[in-house]
Amino acid sequence: MRALSISAFLAGWAIHGCAGYIPRPRADGETCTKTTVAVLGGGMAGITAAQALHNASIDDYVILEYRDRIGGRVWNTDFGEDKEGNPYSLEFGANWVCLVLLQGVGSETTENPVWTLAKKYNLKNYYSNYSSILTYNETGYTDYSHLLDIYSEASTKAGENAGRILTENLQDQTARTGLAVAGWRPRKDDMAAQAVEWWSWDWEDSFSPETSSFVFGVAGENLTFNQFGEDNNLVIDPRGYRQIITGEASSFLQPDDHRLHLNTQVTDIEYSPHGVTIHNKDGSCVSAAYAICTFSLGVLQNDAVQFTPALPPWKQTAIHKFNMGTYTKIFMQFNETFWPEDTQYFLYASPTTRGYYPVFQSLSTEGFLPGSNIIFVTVVSEQAYRVEQQSDEETKEEVLEVLREMFPDKDIPEPIDFGYPRWTKEEWSFGSYSNWPAGTTLEMHQNLRANADRLWFAGEATSAAYFGFLHGAWFEGKEAGEQIAAMLQGRCTEVEGIDEECTGRVHYSPLHGTTPEDSYTAENGWLVDSVTVTA
């Protein structure tokens, strides 16, 4: 009953602040709430960090969350309705969970911690079969599925090349270059090949091969799918994917817990070697010995929070070096399922524009939400920015035009429900998840996750191995919480990732053009050896 109570208490929707906020004048003699650790953000990383503190018997902390619910970018919404008039729950944000390998590394089984939580809370999910796909262009069904096999062969070779670059300490390159060397060289006017490439690269990274790191793009995917398993399951739980976060929160937070501050927008952070003071838009403030900032990379890049003193140049450079991607799912419910009911994915090659409403996914298929008549299409990067500036009506007309091209023999009706998020406009996220750009070294990434005095950073973007994934946020939150607990309890040398003087994570002022081989260690956030990195 305790889990049910806290889940009900934490349910709800975001209350957004105003753009262009000007920091308020501070009153002389202002009194702040004092705590040992302030956790900034109530997403996966923030809740996991607080849980790590609790597990280390440190319960003097507060969690400051912008929205009126925890979960962060794990965000579900009511959409459409079933035959009984009850709404479906769909995921605007994180949607998939990677399963466990039946045979793990060596003699042990390696399990994704998010999959462990999914089992713990009986999260409803179903296998995404990426082989269940039909291909289309502006004339209707057109079979260019052979290109998927051609790309797959080139991708395998590219993975081998990436592993060699990584282990031999060679210069990184764009994914475009790496794929071309491996034999994948689609012409700009071959829109079928462009669609296949989008399906195989952009859909995962939220950026094109031209802007993505080849080495770390390949390594990041392999570290997840080779270590945890190739299967991806789509979460379709009526409680929402965030049930795993609210469920874990209920294990150490009481209903109406005074340590959880919802509807709290952080505006200013003052940090020093002696502590951190956090000022909020509502006039409240918190004084802490340490703070763990789990804000998204997008929030840090958009100056949504002011830092005093300004973050050092090495930190600012790292923040603005990495990319924040936008992954926008556009949902539609119709009064019938006019698309093939036994197929999960439908790949569309626009005759003129790469990434123009390229992948439709059916939720009406058996195993997901059969009979729901719900389908959604995903756009990323420039197309995501474009549709997020449009009205629902403008976007709906564009999507319907594409569907009518894909299914020319069908009478495509108006949807009975339609909607999508505007990630670029959400002031608590400013995007969906991070991506590692080309030519960026692991040293630069260590600067992204390194602490500034007693202000620490955690989240999916600070995970070298699992950036962009929910389990990356889990690992990073847990590690930051454990490391700060070790510092508070004077046992720093027992915890990997911080130096013996308890000053925190190492950062690099001079940067090298390539990543030194000895940087690939657990202490620097790289969790496995180079053998696992190779394809």
Side-chain angles (χ1 to χ4, degrees):
M1 291 302 294
R2 179 177 167 187
L4 290 175
S5 297
I6 190 70
S7 296
F9 169 67
L10 297 173
W13 293 105
I15 297 177
H16 304 294
C18 298
Y21 170 72
I22 299 174
R24 61 179 178 81
R26 294 173 191 152
D28 294 336
E30 179 182 46
T31 301
C32 298
T33 300
K34 294 187 181 297
T35 190
T36 301
V37 183
V39 178
L40 311 183
M44 174 64 91
I47 295 302
T48 305
Q51 186 177 43
L53 293 169
H54 170 80
N55 291 342
S57 300
I58 295 174
D59 290 307
D60 181 26
Y61 57 81
V62 297
I63 304 170
L64 308 182
E65 167 54 38
Y66 185 112
R67 307 179 76 192
D68 64 353
R69 39 142 285 178
I70 64 172
R73 285 169 276 163
V74 184
W75 177 16
N76 62 300
T77 183
D78 288 346
F79 182 84
E81 60 182 36
D82 60 21
K83 293 179 181 179
E84 286 72 42
N86 301 311
Y88 291 100
S89 178
L90 301 182
E91 303 294 337
F92 272 178
N95 215 148
W96 281 267
V97 57
C98 180
L99 274 64
V100 63
L101 269 172
L102 295 179
Q103 293 182 344
V105 179
S107 60
E108 299 181 358
T109 296
T110 304
E111 183 161 285
N112 185 334
V114 177
W115 177 241
T116 303
L117 294 175
K119 293 189 298 182
K120 178 178 179 179
Y121 294 103
N122 297 313
L123 201 69
K124 186 179 179 182
N125 58 89
Y126 193 73
Y127 172 58
S128 284
N129 182 5
Y130 299 122
S131 297
S132 178
I133 183 172
L134 295 174
T135 56
Y136 299 78
N137 64 15
E138 75 279 9
T139 67
Y141 171 73
T142 305
D143 188 4
Y144 49 86
S145 58
H146 64 285
L147 294 173
L148 295 168
D149 296 329
I150 295 174
Y151 181 94
S152 180
E153 292 176 7
S155 178
T156 299
K157 184 177 180 181
E160 296 170 354
N161 293 340
R164 179 178 60 82
I165 292 172
L166 194 64
T167 56
E168 294 180 12
N169 193 29
L170 301 178
Q171 181 67 53
D172 187 20
Q173 53 200 234
T174 67
R176 169 65 64 224
T177 302
L179 290 168
V181 170
W184 176 258
R185 303 164 189 170
R187 299 194 319 269
K188 293 293 185 182
D189 62 349
D190 186 347
M191 301 312 291
Q194 293 291 336
V196 165
E197 181 178 87
W198 192 100
W199 158 270
S200 304
W201 186 275
D202 301 44
W203 195 34
E204 183 73 42
D205 290 64
S206 78
F207 280 94
S208 70
E210 280 83 1
T211 57
S212 299
S213 165
F214 174 53
V215 168
F216 292 101
V218 172
E221 182 175 349
N222 287 345
L223 285 169
T224 285
F225 294 111
N226 286 357
Q227 184 180 17
F228 297 136
E230 295 182 357
D231 291 348
N232 252 354
N233 277 23
L234 189 79
V235 174
I236 46 173
D237 197 289
R239 299 167 297 175
Y241 199 165
R242 69 190 181 95
Q243 174 61 33
I244 64 174
I245 301 176
T246 58
E248 288 299 278
S250 71
S251 70
F252 60 91
L253 291 175
Q254 301 293 330
D256 300 314
D257 200 305
H258 70 279
R259 294 171 297 180
L260 177 61
H261 298 214
L262 300 174
N263 296 317
T264 303
Q265 180 182 353
V266 175
T267 59
D268 302 84
I269 298 173
E270 300 174 11
Y271 66 95
S272 74
H274 309 292
V276 182
T277 300
I278 301 100
H279 296 270
N280 307 311
K281 187 177 181 180
D282 63 8
S284 64
C285 67
V286 174
S287 177
Y290 291 88
I292 304 174
C293 178
T294 70
F295 299 154
S296 77
L297 179 64
V299 167
L300 297 176
Q301 290 179 337
N302 281 276
D303 295 326
V305 176
Q306 301 301 311
F307 293 91
T308 304
L311 292 173
W314 58 262
K315 189 73 175 182
Q316 292 190 47
T317 301
I319 287 171
H320 292 286
K321 174 64 175 177
F322 288 84
N323 293 332
M324 187 66 177
T326 300
Y327 187 102
T328 307
K329 291 178 284 188
I330 303 167
F331 294 95
M332 295 154 283
Q333 183 181 37
F334 293 91
N335 56 14
E336 63 174 326
T337 298
F338 55 80
W339 54 92
E341 294 189 37
D342 58 351
T343 302
Q344 292 188 24
Y345 295 98
F346 308 90
L347 181 62
Y348 170 72
S350 164
T352 60
T353 306
R354 185 182 186 278
Y356 186 81
Y357 303 114
V359 174
F360 290 79
Q361 183 172 351
S362 173
L363 292 181
S364 201
T365 304
E366 189 64 34
F368 296 96
L369 302 173
S372 66
N373 304 322
I374 294 176
I375 193 170
F376 68 94
V377 61
T378 301
V379 289
V380 303
S381 193
E382 296 301 326
Q383 289 298 314
Y385 309 149
R386 185 184 67 82
V387 302
E388 291 192 5
Q389 296 295 325
Q390 295 183 162
S391 67
D392 279 12
E393 190 64 28
E394 289 173 310
T395 301
K396 182 177 69 173
E397 290 307 312
E398 291 180 349
V399 176
L400 288 175
E401 182 179 359
V402 169
L403 287 171
R404 286 163 184 155
E405 290 180 353
M406 294 171 65
F407 303 102
D409 58 336
K410 301 289 186 180
D411 183 15
I412 309 296
E414 287 283 316
I416 58 179
D417 202 358
F418 182 91
Y420 60 96
R422 266 77 171 179
W423 283 107
T424 55
K425 297 179 180 295
E426 296 292 349
E427 295 183 1
W428 48 271
S429 65
F430 286 113
S432 301
Y433 54 84
S434 66
N435 184 51
W436 202 307
T440 305
T441 65
L442 186 57
E443 287 182 340
M444 180 71 77
H445 187 268
Q446 296 314 304
N447 285 355
L448 181 64
R449 79 192 295 265
N451 57 296
D453 291 330
R454 292 199 175 185
L455 176 62
W456 286 56
F457 296 82
E460 56 83 13
T462 66
S463 173
Y466 310 116
F467 61 92
F469 289 100
L470 186 60
H471 47 276
W474 185 91
F475 279 114
E476 288 295 291
K478 179 175 183 290
E479 183 174 308
E482 289 175 344
Q483 290 178 342
I484 288 179
M487 297 176 81
L488 287 167
Q489 296 168 345
R491 49 183 181 83
C492 301
T493 55
E494 299 176 17
V495 180
E496 293 181 327
I498 50 180
D499 65 29
E500 294 183 359
E501 288 75 31
C502 285
T503 57
R505 297 166 174 168
V506 174
H507 74 268
Y508 301 86
S509 293
L511 294 165
H512 301 86
T514 58
T515 297
E517 187 174 355
D518 60 5
S519 292
Y520 296 102
T521 62
E523 288 81 359
N524 283 329
W526 198 258
L527 304 180
V528 294
D529 60 30
S530 59
V531 175
T532 308
V533 172
T534 59

Short mmCIF file of all heavy atoms in Angstrom, two decimals, residues 226-248:
data_model
loop_
_atom_site.label_atom_id
_atom_site.label_comp_id
_atom_site.label_asym_id
_atom_site.label_seq_id
_atom_site.Cartn_x
_atom_site.Cartn_y
_atom_site.Cartn_z
N ASN A 226 25.44 -5.38 -26.95
CA ASN A 226 26.27 -6.58 -26.83
C ASN A 226 26.36 -7.04 -25.38
O ASN A 226 26.49 -8.23 -25.10
CB ASN A 226 27.68 -6.32 -27.37
CG ASN A 226 27.70 -6.25 -28.88
OD1 ASN A 226 26.68 -6.45 -29.53
ND2 ASN A 226 28.87 -5.96 -29.46
N GLN A 227 26.31 -6.09 -24.45
CA GLN A 227 26.44 -6.45 -23.04
C GLN A 227 25.13 -6.95 -22.45
O GLN A 227 25.11 -7.93 -21.72
CB GLN A 227 26.95 -5.25 -22.24
CG GLN A 227 27.22 -5.58 -20.78
CD GLN A 227 27.73 -4.38 -20.01
OE1 GLN A 227 27.60 -3.25 -20.44
NE2 GLN A 227 28.29 -4.63 -18.84
N PHE A 228 24.04 -6.27 -22.79
CA PHE A 228 22.76 -6.60 -22.18
C PHE A 228 21.88 -7.47 -23.06
O PHE A 228 20.95 -8.10 -22.58
CB PHE A 228 21.98 -5.32 -21.83
CG PHE A 228 22.68 -4.47 -20.80
CD1 PHE A 228 22.75 -3.11 -20.95
CD2 PHE A 228 23.26 -5.05 -19.68
CE1 PHE A 228 23.39 -2.32 -20.01
CE2 PHE A 228 23.90 -4.27 -18.73
CZ PHE A 228 23.96 -2.89 -18.89
N GLY A 229 22.11 -7.47 -24.35
CA GLY A 229 21.29 -8.27 -25.25
C GLY A 229 20.70 -7.44 -26.37
O GLY A 229 20.56 -6.22 -26.25
N GLU A 230 20.38 -8.08 -27.48
CA GLU A 230 19.92 -7.37 -28.66
C GLU A 230 18.44 -7.01 -28.60
O GLU A 230 17.98 -6.17 -29.37
CB GLU A 230 20.18 -8.22 -29.91
CG GLU A 230 21.67 -8.45 -30.18
CD GLU A 230 21.90 -9.26 -31.44
OE1 GLU A 230 20.90 -9.69 -32.06
OE2 GLU A 230 23.07 -9.48 -31.79
N ASP A 231 17.68 -7.65 -27.72
CA ASP A 231 16.24 -7.44 -27.71
C ASP A 231 15.87 -6.12 -27.05
O ASP A 231 16.41 -5.74 -26.01
CB ASP A 231 15.54 -8.58 -26.97
CG ASP A 231 15.61 -9.89 -27.73
OD1 ASP A 231 16.00 -9.85 -28.91
OD2 ASP A 231 15.28 -10.94 -27.15
N ASN A 232 14.93 -5.43 -27.66
CA ASN A 232 14.36 -4.21 -27.12
C ASN A 232 12.86 -4.43 -26.94
O ASN A 232 12.20 -4.87 -27.88
CB ASN A 232 14.57 -3.03 -28.09
CG ASN A 232 15.61 -2.05 -27.58
OD1 ASN A 232 16.09 -2.15 -26.47
ND2 ASN A 232 15.95 -1.08 -28.39
N ASN A 233 12.34 -4.14 -25.78
CA ASN A 233 10.90 -4.27 -25.55
C ASN A 233 10.28 -2.89 -25.35
O ASN A 233 10.82 -2.05 -24.62
CB ASN A 233 10.62 -5.13 -24.32
CG ASN A 233 10.64 -6.61 -24.65
OD1 ASN A 233 11.25 -7.02 -25.63
ND2 ASN A 233 9.99 -7.41 -23.84
N LEU A 234 9.14 -2.68 -26.00
CA LEU A 234 8.42 -1.42 -25.87
C LEU A 234 7.53 -1.47 -24.64
O LEU A 234 6.76 -2.41 -24.45
CB LEU A 234 7.56 -1.17 -27.12
CG LEU A 234 6.92 0.22 -27.20
CD1 LEU A 234 7.95 1.23 -27.69
CD2 LEU A 234 5.73 0.20 -28.14
N VAL A 235 7.64 -0.44 -23.79
CA VAL A 235 6.83 -0.38 -22.57
C VAL A 235 5.44 0.15 -22.92
O VAL A 235 5.30 1.19 -23.56
CB VAL A 235 7.49 0.52 -21.52
CG1 VAL A 235 6.57 0.70 -20.30
CG2 VAL A 235 8.84 -0.07 -21.10
N ILE A 236 4.41 -0.59 -22.51
CA ILE A 236 3.01 -0.21 -22.79
C ILE A 236 2.18 -0.35 -21.51
O ILE A 236 1.01 -0.71 -21.55
CB ILE A 236 2.42 -1.09 -23.91
CG1 ILE A 236 2.75 -2.57 -23.65
CG2 ILE A 236 2.93 -0.66 -25.27
CD1 ILE A 236 2.07 -3.52 -24.60
N ASP A 237 2.78 -0.02 -20.40
CA ASP A 237 2.13 -0.20 -19.10
C ASP A 237 1.16 0.96 -18.83
O ASP A 237 1.53 2.13 -19.01
CB ASP A 237 3.17 -0.26 -17.99
CG ASP A 237 2.63 -0.85 -16.71
OD1 ASP A 237 1.81 -0.16 -16.05
OD2 ASP A 237 3.01 -1.98 -16.38
N PRO A 238 -0.07 0.68 -18.41
CA PRO A 238 -1.01 1.77 -18.12
C PRO A 238 -0.56 2.68 -16.98
O PRO A 238 -1.01 3.82 -16.89
CB PRO A 238 -2.31 1.02 -17.77
CG PRO A 238 -1.89 -0.36 -17.40
CD PRO A 238 -0.68 -0.65 -18.23
N ARG A 239 0.34 2.21 -16.13
CA ARG A 239 0.87 3.05 -15.06
C ARG A 239 1.97 3.98 -15.56
O ARG A 239 2.36 4.92 -14.85
CB ARG A 239 1.44 2.18 -13.93
CG ARG A 239 0.43 1.26 -13.27
CD ARG A 239 1.14 0.22 -12.42
NE ARG A 239 1.99 -0.66 -13.23
CZ ARG A 239 2.80 -1.59 -12.74
NH1 ARG A 239 2.87 -1.76 -11.42
NH2 ARG A 239 3.52 -2.35 -13.55
N GLY A 240 2.47 3.70 -16.76
CA GLY A 240 3.57 4.48 -17.32
C GLY A 240 4.92 3.86 -16.99
O GLY A 240 5.09 3.18 -15.97
N TYR A 241 5.88 4.09 -17.87
CA TYR A 241 7.25 3.61 -17.68
C TYR A 241 7.82 4.11 -16.36
O TYR A 241 8.60 3.44 -15.68
CB TYR A 241 8.09 4.11 -18.85
CG TYR A 241 9.40 3.40 -19.12
CD1 TYR A 241 10.06 3.60 -20.33
CD2 TYR A 241 10.00 2.55 -18.20
CE1 TYR A 241 11.25 2.96 -20.62
CE2 TYR A 241 11.20 1.92 -18.47
CZ TYR A 241 11.83 2.14 -19.68
OH TYR A 241 13.03 1.52 -19.96
N ARG A 242 7.41 5.32 -15.94
CA ARG A 242 7.97 5.91 -14.72
C ARG A 242 7.57 5.18 -13.45
O ARG A 242 8.04 5.53 -12.36
CB ARG A 242 7.59 7.39 -14.64
CG ARG A 242 6.13 7.67 -14.38
CD ARG A 242 5.83 9.16 -14.55
NE ARG A 242 4.45 9.47 -14.27
CZ ARG A 242 4.00 9.88 -13.08
NH1 ARG A 242 4.84 10.03 -12.09
NH2 ARG A 242 2.72 10.14 -12.91
N GLN A 243 6.74 4.14 -13.59
CA GLN A 243 6.40 3.33 -12.42
C GLN A 243 7.66 2.77 -11.75
O GLN A 243 7.71 2.63 -10.53
CB GLN A 243 5.47 2.18 -12.82
CG GLN A 243 5.17 1.18 -11.70
CD GLN A 243 4.47 1.83 -10.51
OE1 GLN A 243 3.70 2.76 -10.68
NE2 GLN A 243 4.73 1.33 -9.31
N ILE A 244 8.68 2.47 -12.55
CA ILE A 244 9.91 1.94 -11.95
C ILE A 244 10.62 3.01 -11.12
O ILE A 244 11.31 2.70 -10.15
CB ILE A 244 10.86 1.36 -13.00
CG1 ILE A 244 11.36 2.43 -13.97
CG2 ILE A 244 10.19 0.23 -13.77
CD1 ILE A 244 12.41 1.94 -14.96
N ILE A 245 10.44 4.29 -11.49
CA ILE A 245 11.07 5.38 -10.73
C ILE A 245 10.24 5.71 -9.50
O ILE A 245 10.78 5.84 -8.39
CB ILE A 245 11.25 6.62 -11.63
CG1 ILE A 245 12.11 6.27 -12.85
CG2 ILE A 245 11.87 7.77 -10.85
CD1 ILE A 245 12.28 7.40 -13.85
N THR A 246 8.93 5.84 -9.66
CA THR A 246 8.09 6.13 -8.49
C THR A 246 8.10 4.95 -7.52
O THR A 246 8.04 5.15 -6.30
CB THR A 246 6.64 6.43 -8.92
OG1 THR A 246 6.11 5.33 -9.66
CG2 THR A 246 6.58 7.67 -9.79
N GLY A 247 8.20 3.74 -8.07
CA GLY A 247 8.27 2.57 -7.19
C GLY A 247 9.52 2.57 -6.34
O GLY A 247 9.47 2.32 -5.13
N GLU A 248 10.67 2.87 -6.96
CA GLU A 248 11.91 2.94 -6.19
C GLU A 248 11.88 4.09 -5.19
O GLU A 248 12.37 3.98 -4.07
CB GLU A 248 13.10 3.09 -7.14
CG GLU A 248 13.42 1.84 -7.93
CD GLU A 248 13.80 0.67 -7.05
OE1 GLU A 248 14.96 0.59 -6.61
OE2 GLU A 248 12.90 -0.17 -6.78
#
